[in-house]
Amino acid sequence: MQHVKNTLGLSTLYCTLDTLAPEQFEGLRQQGYDDVVPYPPAVEYARRWEREVNTENPTTLASLVSQRRKTTYTAYVESKPFQPPAPTPRRATVICVTGVKGGVGKTTMAVLLANAMVARGKRIVVAELDPYGNLANLFRVERTVTADRFETLPDVLTDPELEQNMLRTPAGWWLIPKGDRPLGLSKDGVARLIHLVGLYADALILDTHAGHLMSTVVAMREADRVLGVTTADRTTWTDLRAFLHMSERPVYLVLNRVRERPRKAAAISAFLQKEIGFRVAAIVHEDDTLYQRVQQGLTPLGSRKTNARIHQLIQTLSISTKEAKSHEA
């Protein structure tokens, strides 16, 4: 499916008459579908994916396949070495949202954190460092700019110049969508992004790839807080300890998409905390309302219970570095 999308430059939707469970929905998204929608989709929603049809000279499949693939002007440029200017205090709290397995809800967690923080009047930026991410499609915004630009941007920018390299989402926070580099940003690109946004925002949330890409490694080492997102399924715990120990920053665990009852969830959390060695900062239960909104093409918003958990998590992340290290010990 990814090959078809890349070759034809088309968006793919999965339309179904059935109600999908959240895990099925995430599975289809992982397979490469841009969205999963009920059939028939609402007219207003379908128009977001419309393509103009030329009835006089209809496009054939053969002609589409033969066309050169679309690329952004930053897709294949070489990285420019990052040379940080004179030391300046970073304004933003940098939060790296990561994990070792896809489908655990890292992107959803990043969005919920951004929603909660921007509601407090903060200037929030979410950077999508996962080259297989989907945030732009999730918010129905066109990737007119991408993270690839940070490979070649100047090391010093004014606020208006920086804003020209980000997108404003309907939720009120800024988004830096994924780029087109197959392996994501380079070390210099990530360092430049963190430096520039760090001087601009109150919080920078880094949504990373579930693996040892360079962008993930740099994000974990440069962030002020690292969130390891996992589920109650033990298969998502594999290699999590070794992976999170790459960071020298305060690390917290988030047990996400939990369907177990509170008492059992607490027991799983205690066991996970003992096995992995990091504090479980939040237990977030499966939110069917959230996934239904995503399926309907609406702005992702959590339920009242989910939002309460996210606000508690934010309070935990506000602990000073010294206190956080004592908790880990």
Side-chain angles (χ1 to χ4, degrees), residues 248-250 252 319-329:
E248 299 178 356
R249 307 292 183 170
Y252 300 88
I319 299 174
S320 69
T321 303
K322 183 177 180 180
E323 291 174 340
K325 289 183 176 179
S326 68
H327 278 300
E328 290 178 15

Side-chain angles (χ1 to χ4, degrees), residues 112 284-287 302-311:
L112 292 176
V284 182
H285 284 77
E286 189 73 278
D287 189 344
S303 65
R304 182 178 300 179
K305 184 178 293 186
T306 297
N307 290 335
R309 294 285 186 179
I310 297 300
H311 283 289

Side-chain angles (χ1 to χ4, degrees), residues 131-148:
Y132 304 102
N134 219 12
L135 270 175
N137 288 332
L138 188 63
F139 283 91
R140 321 296 174 212
V141 294
E142 185 179 355
R143 288 193 306 140
T144 53
V145 296
T146 72
D148 288 344

Side-chain angles (χ1 to χ4, degrees), residues 1 14 16 27 50 77 133 159 184 209 218 242 294 315 329:
M1 184 178 300
Y14 185 96
T16 175
E50 271 186 342
V77 298
D159 287 358
H209 178 261
V218 175
V294 173
Q315 291 178 356

Side-chain angles (χ1 to χ4, degrees), residues 13 35 37 41-49 140 295-297:
L13 307 181
D35 205 352
V37 296
V43 175
E44 290 302 319
Y45 174 77
R47 284 177 178 165
R48 300 179 183 180
W49 301 92
R140 321 296 174 212
Q295 285 181 308
Q296 295 169 9

Side-chain angles (χ1 to χ4, degrees), residues 110-183:
V111 169
L112 292 176
L113 283 170
N115 289 345
M117 291 180 181
V118 80
R120 299 183 174 192
K122 302 297 184 181
R123 182 185 286 177
I124 309 301
V125 177
V126 176
E128 188 176 35
L129 300 184
D130 184 354
Y132 304 102
N134 219 12
L135 270 175
N137 288 332
L138 188 63
F139 283 91
R140 321 296 174 212
V141 294
E142 185 179 355
R143 288 193 306 140
T144 53
V145 296
T146 72
D148 288 344
R149 288 194 174 191
F150 287 84
E151 296 288 351
T152 55
L153 282 175
D155 297 335
V156 178
L157 289 177
T158 64
D159 287 358
E161 289 173 336
L162 179 62
E163 289 178 355
Q164 292 177 7
N165 295 280
M166 303 187 293
L167 302 176
R168 192 70 175 266
T169 68
W173 42 266
W174 293 92
L175 169 64
I176 302 174
K178 69 171 184 179
D180 296 307
R181 297 165 65 94
L183 297 180

Side-chain angles (χ1 to χ4, degrees), residues 70-81:
K70 293 186 296 184
T71 61
T72 65
Y73 82 96
T74 56
Y76 300 107
V77 298
E78 294 184 2
S79 301
K80 183 178 70 175

Side-chain angles (χ1 to χ4, degrees), residues 154-273:
D155 297 335
V156 178
L157 289 177
T158 64
D159 287 358
E161 289 173 336
L162 179 62
E163 289 178 355
Q164 292 177 7
N165 295 280
M166 303 187 293
L167 302 176
R168 192 70 175 266
T169 68
W173 42 266
W174 293 92
L175 169 64
I176 302 174
K178 69 171 184 179
D180 296 307
R181 297 165 65 94
L183 297 180
L185 290 185
S186 68
K187 178 180 178 180
D188 289 305
V190 178
R192 184 175 291 106
L193 186 153
I194 293 175
H195 168 73
L196 291 172
V197 179
L199 298 176
Y200 169 85
D202 293 311
L204 167 60
I205 301 173
L206 304 173
D207 179 24
T208 66
H209 178 261
H212 292 72
L213 291 182
M214 177 58 69
S215 58
T216 302
V217 174
V218 175
M220 291 178 65
R221 292 178 176 172
E222 293 295 325
D224 299 303
R225 306 284 186 275
V226 176
L227 286 185
V229 182
T230 187
T231 67
D233 181 359
R234 293 193 183 193
T235 62
T236 66
W237 304 356
T238 306
D239 300 325
L240 188 58
R241 177 200 290 268
F243 181 77
L244 293 178
H245 270 290
M246 289 195 304
S247 173
E248 299 178 356
R249 307 292 183 170
V251 176
Y252 300 88
L253 295 174
V254 175
L255 195 60
N256 195 34
R257 301 182 61 185
V258 176
R259 284 197 173 275
E260 287 75 9
R261 294 181 179 275
R263 182 174 296 180
K264 185 175 181 180
I268 294 174
S269 173
F271 181 80
L272 172 64
Q273 187 166 282

